[in-house]
Coordinates of all heavy atoms in Angstrom, one line a residue:
M1 N 0.8 -1.2 0.0 CA 0.0 0.0 0.0 C 0.9 1.3 0.0 O 0.6 2.2 -0.7 CB -0.9 -0.1 1.2 CG -2.1 0.8 1.3 SD -3.2 0.7 -0.1 CE -3.8 2.3 0.0
K2 N 1.9 1.2 0.8 CA 2.8 2.4 0.8 C 3.5 2.6 -0.5 O 3.7 3.8 -0.9 CB 3.9 2.2 1.9 CG 3.3 2.3 3.3 CD 4.4 2.1 4.4 CE 3.8 2.1 5.7 NZ 4.8 1.9 6.8
R3 N 3.9 1.5 -1.2 CA 4.5 1.7 -2.5 C 3.5 2.2 -3.5 O 3.9 3.0 -4.4 CB 5.1 0.3 -2.9 CG 6.4 0.0 -2.2 CD 6.9 -1.4 -2.6 NE 7.1 -1.4 -4.1 CZ 7.2 -2.6 -4.8 NH1 7.1 -3.7 -4.1 NH2 7.4 -2.5 -6.0
A4 N 2.3 1.8 -3.4 CA 1.3 2.3 -4.3 C 1.0 3.7 -4.2 O 0.9 4.5 -5.2 CB 0.0 1.5 -4.1
E5 N 1.0 4.2 -2.9 CA 0.8 5.6 -2.7 C 2.0 6.4 -3.1 O 1.9 7.5 -3.8 CB 0.5 5.9 -1.2 CG 0.3 7.4 -0.9 CD 0.1 7.6 0.6 OE1 0.0 6.7 1.4 OE2 0.1 8.8 0.9
A6 N 3.2 5.9 -2.8 CA 4.4 6.6 -3.2 C 4.6 6.8 -4.7 O 4.9 7.8 -5.2 CB 5.6 5.9 -2.6
A7 N 4.2 5.7 -5.4 CA 4.3 5.8 -6.9 C 3.3 6.8 -7.4 O 3.6 7.5 -8.4 CB 4.0 4.4 -7.5
A8 N 2.1 6.9 -6.8 CA 1.1 7.9 -7.3 C 1.7 9.3 -7.0 O 1.5 10.2 -7.9 CB -0.2 7.7 -6.5
R9 N 2.3 9.5 -5.9 CA 2.8 10.8 -5.6 C 4.0 11.1 -6.6 O 4.1 12.3 -7.0 CB 3.3 10.9 -4.1 CG 2.2 10.9 -3.2 CD 2.6 11.1 -1.7 NE 1.5 10.9 -0.8 CZ 0.6 11.8 -0.5 NH1 0.5 13.0 -1.2 NH2 -0.4 11.5 0.3
D10 N 4.8 10.1 -6.9 CA 5.9 10.3 -7.8 C 5.4 10.7 -9.2 O 6.1 11.4 -9.9 CB 6.8 9.0 -7.9 CG 7.6 8.8 -6.7 OD1 7.8 9.7 -5.8 OD2 8.2 7.7 -6.5
M11 N 4.2 10.2 -9.5 CA 3.6 10.6 -10.8 C 3.2 12.0 -10.9 O 2.8 12.5 -11.9 CB 2.5 9.6 -11.2 CG 2.8 8.2 -11.3 SD 3.5 7.7 -12.9 CE 2.2 8.0 -14.0
G12 N 3.1 12.7 -9.7 CA 2.7 14.1 -9.7 C 1.2 14.2 -9.5 O 0.6 15.3 -9.7
W13 N 0.5 13.1 -9.2 CA -0.9 13.1 -9.0 C -1.3 13.8 -7.7 O -0.6 13.7 -6.7 CB -1.5 11.7 -9.0 CG -1.3 10.9 -10.2 CD1 -0.9 11.3 -11.4 CD2 -1.4 9.5 -10.3 NE1 -0.7 10.3 -12.3 CE2 -1.1 9.1 -11.7 CE3 -1.8 8.5 -9.5 CZ2 -1.1 7.8 -12.1 CZ3 -1.8 7.2 -9.9 CH2 -1.5 6.9 -11.2
D14 N -2.4 14.5 -7.7 CA -3.0 15.1 -6.5 C -3.8 14.0 -5.8 O -4.8 13.5 -6.3 CB -3.9 16.2 -6.8 CG -3.2 17.4 -7.4 OD1 -2.1 17.7 -7.0 OD2 -3.8 18.0 -8.4
I15 N -3.3 13.6 -4.6 CA -3.9 12.5 -3.8 C -5.2 13.1 -3.2 O -5.1 14.1 -2.4 CB -2.9 12.0 -2.8 CG1 -1.6 11.5 -3.4 CG2 -3.6 10.8 -2.0 CD1 -1.8 10.5 -4.5
V16 N -6.3 12.4 -3.4 CA -7.6 12.8 -2.9 C -7.9 12.0 -1.6 O -8.4 12.6 -0.6 CB -8.7 12.6 -3.9 CG1 -10.1 12.9 -3.4 CG2 -8.4 13.4 -5.2
A17 N -7.6 10.7 -1.6 CA -7.8 9.9 -0.4 C -6.9 8.7 -0.4 O -6.6 8.2 -1.5 CB -9.3 9.4 -0.5
V18 N -6.5 8.3 0.8 CA -5.7 7.1 0.9 C -6.5 6.3 2.0 O -6.6 6.8 3.1 CB -4.3 7.3 1.4 CG1 -3.5 6.0 1.6 CG2 -3.6 8.2 0.3
E19 N -6.9 5.1 1.7 CA -7.7 4.3 2.6 C -7.0 2.9 2.8 O -7.3 1.9 2.1 CB -9.1 4.0 2.1 CG -9.9 5.3 2.0 CD -10.3 5.9 3.3 OE1 -10.2 5.3 4.3 OE2 -10.6 7.1 3.3
P20 N -6.0 2.8 3.6 CA -5.2 1.6 3.8 C -6.0 0.4 4.1 O -5.8 -0.7 3.6 CB -4.2 1.9 4.9 CG -4.1 3.4 4.9 CD -5.4 3.9 4.5
A21 N -7.0 0.6 5.0 CA -7.9 -0.6 5.4 C -8.7 -1.1 4.2 O -9.0 -2.3 4.2 CB -8.8 -0.1 6.5
E22 N -9.0 -0.3 3.3 CA -9.7 -0.7 2.1 C -8.8 -1.0 0.9 O -9.3 -1.4 -0.1 CB -10.7 0.4 1.7 CG -11.8 0.6 2.7 CD -12.7 1.8 2.4 OE1 -12.8 2.1 1.2 OE2 -13.3 2.3 3.3
G23 N -7.5 -0.7 1.1 CA -6.5 -0.9 0.0 C -6.8 0.0 -1.2 O -6.7 -0.5 -2.3
R24 N -7.1 1.3 -0.9 CA -7.4 2.1 -2.0 C -6.7 3.5 -2.0 O -6.6 4.1 -0.9 CB -8.9 2.4 -2.0 CG -9.4 3.1 -3.2 CD -11.0 3.3 -3.2 NE -11.3 4.3 -2.3 CZ -12.1 4.1 -1.2 NH1 -12.6 3.0 -0.9 NH2 -12.4 5.1 -0.4
V25 N -6.2 3.9 -3.1 CA -5.7 5.3 -3.3 C -6.5 5.9 -4.4 O -6.7 5.4 -5.5 CB -4.2 5.2 -3.7 CG1 -3.7 6.6 -4.0 CG2 -3.3 4.5 -2.7
E26 N -7.0 7.1 -4.1 CA -7.7 7.9 -5.1 C -7.0 9.2 -5.4 O -6.4 9.8 -4.5 CB -9.1 8.3 -4.6 CG -10.0 7.0 -4.4 CD -11.4 7.4 -4.0 OE1 -11.8 8.6 -4.2 OE2 -12.1 6.5 -3.4
A27 N -6.9 9.5 -6.7 CA -6.1 10.7 -7.1 C -6.7 11.4 -8.3 O -7.5 10.8 -9.0 CB -4.6 10.3 -7.3
T28 N -6.2 12.6 -8.5 CA -6.5 13.3 -9.7 C -5.2 13.6 -10.5 O -4.3 14.1 -9.9 CB -7.2 14.7 -9.4 OG1 -8.4 14.4 -8.6 CG2 -7.5 15.4 -10.7
A29 N -5.2 13.2 -11.8 CA -4.1 13.5 -12.6 C -4.5 14.6 -13.6 O -5.6 14.6 -14.1 CB -3.7 12.2 -13.4
T30 N -3.5 15.5 -13.8 CA -3.8 16.6 -14.7 C -2.9 16.5 -15.9 O -1.7 16.3 -15.8 CB -3.5 18.0 -14.0 OG1 -4.3 18.0 -12.7 CG2 -3.9 19.2 -14.8
T31 N -3.5 16.6 -17.1 CA -2.8 16.4 -18.3 C -1.9 17.7 -18.5 O -2.3 18.8 -18.2 CB -3.7 16.2 -19.5 OG1 -4.5 17.4 -19.7 CG2 -4.5 15.0 -19.4
A32 N -0.7 17.5 -19.1 CA 0.2 18.5 -19.3 C -0.2 19.6 -20.4 O 0.0 20.8 -20.2 CB 1.6 18.0 -19.7
W33 N -0.8 19.1 -21.4 CA -1.1 20.0 -22.5 C -2.3 20.9 -22.3 O -2.2 22.1 -22.5 CB -1.5 19.1 -23.8 CG -0.2 18.6 -24.4 CD1 0.7 17.8 -23.8 CD2 0.3 18.8 -25.7 NE1 1.7 17.5 -24.7 CE2 1.5 18.1 -25.9 CE3 -0.2 19.6 -26.8 CZ2 2.2 18.2 -27.0 CZ3 0.5 19.6 -27.9 CH2 1.7 18.9 -28.0
F34 N -3.4 20.4 -21.9 CA -4.6 21.3 -21.7 C -5.1 21.4 -20.3 O -6.1 22.0 -20.0 CB -5.7 20.8 -22.6 CG -5.4 20.8 -24.1 CD1 -5.1 19.7 -24.8 CD2 -5.4 22.1 -24.7 CE1 -4.8 19.8 -26.1 CE2 -5.1 22.1 -26.1 CZ -4.8 21.0 -26.8
G35 N -4.4 20.7 -19.3 CA -4.8 20.7 -18.0 C -6.1 20.0 -17.6 O -6.8 20.3 -16.6
F36 N -6.5 19.0 -18.5 CA -7.7 18.2 -18.2 C -7.4 17.4 -16.9 O -6.3 16.9 -16.6 CB -8.0 17.3 -19.3 CG -8.4 17.9 -20.6 CD1 -7.8 17.6 -21.8 CD2 -9.4 18.9 -20.6 CE1 -8.2 18.2 -23.0 CE2 -9.8 19.5 -21.8 CZ -9.2 19.2 -23.0
K37 N -8.5 17.2 -16.2 CA -8.4 16.4 -14.9 C -9.0 15.0 -15.2 O -10.0 14.9 -15.8 CB -9.3 17.1 -13.8 CG -9.0 18.5 -13.5 CD -7.7 18.6 -12.8 CE -7.4 20.1 -12.4 NZ -6.1 20.2 -11.7
D38 N -8.2 14.0 -14.8 CA -8.6 12.6 -14.9 C -8.6 12.0 -13.5 O -7.7 12.3 -12.7 CB -7.6 11.9 -15.8 CG -7.5 12.4 -17.2 OD1 -8.5 13.1 -17.6 OD2 -6.5 12.1 -17.9
D39 N -9.6 11.2 -13.3 CA -9.7 10.5 -12.0 C -9.0 9.2 -12.0 O -9.1 8.4 -13.0 CB -11.2 10.3 -11.6 CG -11.9 11.6 -11.4 OD1 -11.3 12.5 -10.8 OD2 -13.0 11.8 -11.9
V40 N -8.2 8.9 -11.0 CA -7.4 7.6 -10.9 C -7.7 6.9 -9.6 O -7.8 7.6 -8.6 CB -5.9 7.9 -11.0 CG1 -5.1 6.6 -11.0 CG2 -5.6 8.7 -12.2
V41 N -8.0 5.6 -9.7 CA -8.2 4.8 -8.5 C -7.3 3.6 -8.6 O -7.2 2.9 -9.6 CB -9.6 4.3 -8.3 CG1 -9.8 3.5 -7.1 CG2 -10.6 5.5 -8.3
V42 N -6.5 3.4 -7.5 CA -5.6 2.2 -7.4 C -6.2 1.4 -6.2 O -6.4 1.9 -5.1 CB -4.2 2.7 -7.1 CG1 -3.3 1.5 -6.9 CG2 -3.7 3.6 -8.1
R43 N -6.3 0.1 -6.5 CA -6.7 -0.9 -5.5 C -5.6 -1.9 -5.3 O -5.1 -2.4 -6.2 CB -8.0 -1.6 -5.9 CG -9.2 -0.7 -5.9 CD -10.5 -1.5 -6.2 NE -10.3 -2.4 -7.3 CZ -11.1 -3.4 -7.6 NH1 -12.2 -3.6 -6.9 NH2 -10.9 -4.2 -8.6
V44 N -5.3 -2.1 -4.0 CA -4.3 -3.1 -3.6 C -5.0 -4.2 -2.8 O -5.6 -3.9 -1.8 CB -3.2 -2.4 -2.8 CG1 -2.1 -3.4 -2.4 CG2 -2.6 -1.2 -3.5
R45 N -4.8 -5.4 -3.3 CA -5.4 -6.6 -2.6 C -4.3 -7.6 -2.4 O -3.5 -7.9 -3.3 CB -6.5 -7.2 -3.5 CG -7.6 -6.3 -3.9 CD -8.6 -6.2 -2.7 NE -9.8 -5.4 -3.1 CZ -10.0 -4.2 -2.8 NH1 -9.2 -3.6 -2.0 NH2 -11.1 -3.6 -3.2
P46 N -4.4 -8.3 -1.2 CA -3.4 -9.4 -1.0 C -3.6 -10.5 -2.0 O -4.8 -10.9 -2.3 CB -3.7 -9.9 0.4 CG -4.7 -8.9 1.0 CD -5.3 -8.1 -0.1
E47 N -2.6 -11.1 -2.5 CA -2.7 -12.3 -3.4 C -1.4 -13.1 -3.2 O -0.3 -12.7 -3.5 CB -2.8 -11.9 -4.8 CG -3.1 -13.0 -5.7 CD -3.4 -12.6 -7.1 OE1 -4.6 -12.2 -7.3 OE2 -2.6 -12.7 -8.0
G48 N -1.6 -14.3 -2.7 CA -0.4 -15.2 -2.4 C 0.5 -14.6 -1.5 O 0.2 -14.1 -0.4
D49 N 1.8 -14.5 -1.9 CA 2.8 -13.9 -1.1 C 3.0 -12.4 -1.4 O 3.9 -11.8 -0.8 CB 4.2 -14.6 -1.3 CG 4.2 -16.0 -0.7 OD1 3.4 -16.3 0.2 OD2 5.0 -16.8 -1.2
G50 N 2.2 -11.9 -2.3 CA 2.3 -10.5 -2.7 C 1.0 -9.8 -2.7 O 0.1 -10.0 -1.9
S51 N 0.9 -8.9 -3.6 CA -0.3 -8.1 -3.8 C -0.7 -8.0 -5.2 O 0.1 -8.1 -6.1 CB -0.1 -6.6 -3.3 OG 0.3 -6.6 -1.9
R52 N -2.0 -7.8 -5.4 CA -2.6 -7.6 -6.8 C -2.9 -6.1 -6.8 O -3.6 -5.6 -5.9 CB -3.8 -8.4 -7.0 CG -4.4 -8.2 -8.3 CD -5.7 -9.1 -8.5 NE -6.2 -8.9 -9.8 CZ -6.0 -9.6 -10.9 NH1 -5.1 -10.6 -10.7 NH2 -6.5 -9.4 -12.0
I53 N -2.5 -5.4 -7.9 CA -2.8 -4.0 -8.1 C -3.8 -3.9 -9.3 O -3.5 -4.4 -10.4 CB -1.5 -3.2 -8.4 CG1 -0.4 -3.5 -7.4 CG2 -1.8 -1.8 -8.6 CD1 -0.7 -2.9 -6.1
D54 N -4.9 -3.2 -9.0 CA -5.8 -2.8 -10.1 C -5.8 -1.3 -10.2 O -5.9 -0.6 -9.2 CB -7.2 -3.3 -9.7 CG -7.3 -4.8 -9.7 OD1 -6.9 -5.5 -10.6 OD2 -7.8 -5.3 -8.7
V55 N -5.8 -0.8 -11.4 CA -5.7 0.7 -11.6 C -6.8 1.1 -12.6 O -7.0 0.4 -13.6 CB -4.3 1.1 -12.1 CG1 -4.3 2.6 -12.2 CG2 -3.2 0.6 -11.3
R56 N -7.5 2.1 -12.3 CA -8.5 2.7 -13.3 C -8.2 4.2 -13.4 O -7.9 4.9 -12.4 CB -9.9 2.5 -12.7 CG -10.9 3.2 -13.6 CD -12.3 3.1 -13.1 NE -12.8 3.9 -12.0 CZ -12.9 5.3 -12.0 NH1 -12.4 6.0 -13.0 NH2 -13.3 5.9 -11.0
S57 N -8.1 4.7 -14.6 CA -7.9 6.1 -14.9 C -9.0 6.5 -15.9 O -9.2 5.9 -17.0 CB -6.5 6.3 -15.5 OG -6.3 7.7 -15.8
K58 N -9.8 7.5 -15.6 CA -10.9 7.9 -16.5 C -10.9 9.5 -16.6 O -10.8 10.2 -15.6 CB -12.2 7.5 -15.8 CG -13.4 7.9 -16.7 CD -14.5 7.0 -16.5 CE -15.8 7.3 -17.3 NZ -15.8 8.4 -18.2
S59 N -11.0 9.9 -17.9 CA -11.1 11.3 -18.1 C -12.5 11.8 -17.7 O -13.5 11.2 -17.8 CB -11.0 11.5 -19.6 OG -9.7 11.1 -20.1
R60 N -12.5 13.0 -17.2 CA -13.7 13.7 -16.7 C -14.5 14.3 -17.9 O -15.7 14.4 -17.8 CB -13.4 14.8 -15.7 CG -12.9 14.3 -14.4 CD -12.7 15.4 -13.5 NE -12.2 15.0 -12.2 CZ -11.8 15.8 -11.2 NH1 -12.0 17.1 -11.3 NH2 -11.3 15.3 -10.1
V61 N -13.8 14.7 -19.0 CA -14.5 15.3 -20.1 C -14.1 14.6 -21.4 O -13.0 14.0 -21.5 CB -14.1 16.8 -20.2 CG1 -14.6 17.6 -19.0 CG2 -12.7 17.0 -20.4
G62 N -14.9 14.8 -22.4 CA -14.6 14.3 -23.7 C -14.9 12.8 -23.9 O -15.2 12.1 -23.0
R63 N -14.8 12.4 -25.2 CA -15.1 11.1 -25.6 C -13.9 10.2 -25.7 O -13.9 9.0 -25.5 CB -15.9 11.0 -26.9 CG -17.3 11.6 -26.8 CD -18.0 11.4 -28.1 NE -19.4 11.9 -27.9 CZ -20.3 11.8 -28.8 NH1 -20.0 11.1 -30.0 NH2 -21.5 12.3 -28.7
S64 N -12.8 10.9 -26.2 CA -11.6 10.1 -26.4 C -10.4 10.8 -25.7 O -10.3 12.1 -25.6 CB -11.3 10.1 -27.9 OG -10.0 9.5 -28.1
D65 N -9.5 10.0 -25.1 CA -8.4 10.6 -24.4 C -7.1 10.4 -25.2 O -6.0 10.7 -24.8 CB -8.2 10.0 -23.0 CG -7.9 8.5 -23.1 OD1 -7.9 7.9 -24.2 OD2 -7.7 8.0 -22.0
L66 N -7.3 9.8 -26.5 CA -6.1 9.5 -27.4 C -5.1 8.6 -26.7 O -3.9 8.7 -27.0 CB -5.5 10.8 -27.9 CG -6.5 11.8 -28.6 CD1 -5.8 13.1 -28.9 CD2 -7.0 11.1 -29.9
G67 N -5.6 7.7 -25.8 CA -4.7 6.8 -25.2 C -3.9 7.3 -23.9 O -3.1 6.6 -23.4
A68 N -4.3 8.5 -23.5 CA -3.6 9.1 -22.3 C -3.8 8.2 -21.0 O -2.9 8.1 -20.3 CB -4.1 10.5 -22.1
N69 N -5.0 7.8 -20.8 CA -5.3 7.0 -19.6 C -4.5 5.7 -19.6 O -4.0 5.3 -18.6 CB -6.8 6.8 -19.4 CG -7.4 8.1 -18.9 OD1 -7.1 8.6 -17.9 ND2 -8.3 8.6 -19.7
A70 N -4.5 5.0 -20.7 CA -3.8 3.7 -20.8 C -2.3 3.9 -20.6 O -1.7 3.1 -19.9 CB -4.1 3.0 -22.2
A71 N -1.8 5.0 -21.2 CA -0.3 5.3 -21.0 C 0.0 5.6 -19.6 O 1.0 5.2 -19.1 CB 0.1 6.4 -21.9
R72 N -0.9 6.3 -18.9 CA -0.7 6.7 -17.5 C -0.7 5.4 -16.7 O 0.2 5.3 -15.8 CB -1.9 7.6 -17.0 CG -1.8 7.9 -15.6 CD -3.0 8.8 -15.2 NE -2.9 10.1 -15.9 CZ -3.8 10.5 -16.7 NH1 -4.9 9.8 -16.9 NH2 -3.7 11.7 -17.3
I73 N -1.6 4.5 -16.9 CA -1.6 3.2 -16.2 C -0.3 2.4 -16.4 O 0.3 1.9 -15.5 CB -2.9 2.4 -16.5 CG1 -4.1 3.1 -15.9 CG2 -2.7 1.0 -16.0 CD1 -5.4 2.5 -16.4
R74 N 0.1 2.3 -17.7 CA 1.4 1.6 -18.0 C 2.6 2.3 -17.2 O 3.4 1.6 -16.6 CB 1.6 1.6 -19.5 CG 0.8 0.6 -20.2 CD 1.3 0.4 -21.6 NE 1.2 1.6 -22.4 CZ 0.1 2.0 -23.1 NH1 -1.0 1.2 -23.1 NH2 0.1 3.1 -23.8
D75 N 2.6 3.6 -17.2 CA 3.7 4.3 -16.6 C 3.7 4.0 -15.1 O 4.7 3.8 -14.4 CB 3.7 5.8 -16.8 CG 4.0 6.2 -18.3 OD1 4.5 5.3 -19.0 OD2 3.7 7.3 -18.7
Y76 N 2.5 4.1 -14.5 CA 2.3 3.8 -13.1 C 2.8 2.4 -12.7 O 3.6 2.2 -11.8 CB 0.9 4.1 -12.7 CG 0.6 3.8 -11.2 CD1 1.0 4.7 -10.2 CD2 0.0 2.6 -10.8 CE1 0.8 4.4 -8.9 CE2 -0.2 2.3 -9.5 CZ 0.2 3.2 -8.5 OH 0.0 2.9 -7.2
L77 N 2.3 1.4 -13.4 CA 2.7 0.1 -13.1 C 4.2 -0.2 -13.3 O 4.8 -0.9 -12.5 CB 1.9 -0.9 -14.0 CG 0.4 -0.9 -13.7 CD1 -0.3 -1.8 -14.7 CD2 0.1 -1.4 -12.3
A78 N 4.8 0.5 -14.3 CA 6.3 0.4 -14.4 C 7.0 1.0 -13.2 O 8.0 0.4 -12.8 CB 6.7 1.1 -15.7
R79 N 6.5 2.0 -12.6 CA 7.1 2.6 -11.4 C 7.0 1.6 -10.2 O 7.9 1.7 -9.4 CB 6.4 3.9 -11.0 CG 6.8 5.0 -11.9 CD 6.1 6.3 -11.4 NE 6.3 7.4 -12.4 CZ 7.2 8.3 -12.2 NH1 7.9 8.4 -11.1 NH2 7.3 9.3 -13.1
L80 N 6.0 0.8 -10.2 CA 5.9 -0.1 -9.1 C 6.8 -1.3 -9.2 O 7.1 -2.0 -8.1 CB 4.4 -0.7 -9.0 CG 3.4 0.3 -8.5 CD1 2.0 -0.3 -8.5 CD2 3.7 0.7 -7.1
K81 N 7.3 -1.6 -10.3 CA 8.2 -2.8 -10.5 C 9.6 -2.5 -9.9 O 10.1 -1.5 -9.8 CB 8.3 -3.2 -12.0 CG 7.0 -3.8 -12.5 CD 7.2 -4.3 -13.9 CE 5.9 -5.0 -14.3 NZ 6.0 -5.6 -15.5

């Protein structure tokens, strides 16, 4: 959980909530070009000897993000490795 929160902070996201008992980090990511706000939720669940990480990133406006949310998730998961 600590690593998940630290990686989110390293990404420059604004942390909205950290709920260790629920295994959840909620944040807002702001795009560099136009300053759009995207909502990000990271869930951490125990699995075997480690943890399972689920990440969701969703744009607040528009129909297409041109792959920005998928790229954000890939970058985040790479930071956790």
Side-chain angles (χ1 to χ4, degrees):
M1 197 52 207
K2 289 180 184 180
R3 286 178 56 202
E5 179 184 354
R9 290 186 189 281
D10 288 346
M11 297 279 296
W13 300 345
D14 294 319
I15 305 301
V16 175
V18 177
E19 299 291 341
E22 297 175 23
R24 189 177 75 242
V25 176
E26 295 183 20
T28 302
T30 304
T31 63
W33 283 59
F34 296 106
F36 293 131
K37 303 289 185 184
D38 298 342
D39 296 316
V40 184
V41 178
V42 178
R43 292 186 313 166
V44 181
R45 301 280 187 253
E47 186 171 283
D49 291 337
S51 299
R52 178 182 183 92
I53 306 291
D54 296 309
V55 186
R56 175 181 80 61
S57 182
K58 178 150 180 7
S59 300
R60 290 183 183 176
V61 296
R63 291 185 180 188
S64 173
D65 66 356
L66 303 173
N69 286 299
R72 177 180 298 117
I73 291 170
R74 282 192 298 273
D75 290 346
Y76 176 77
L77 293 174
R79 284 181 188 257
L80 285 177
K81 288 188 177 184

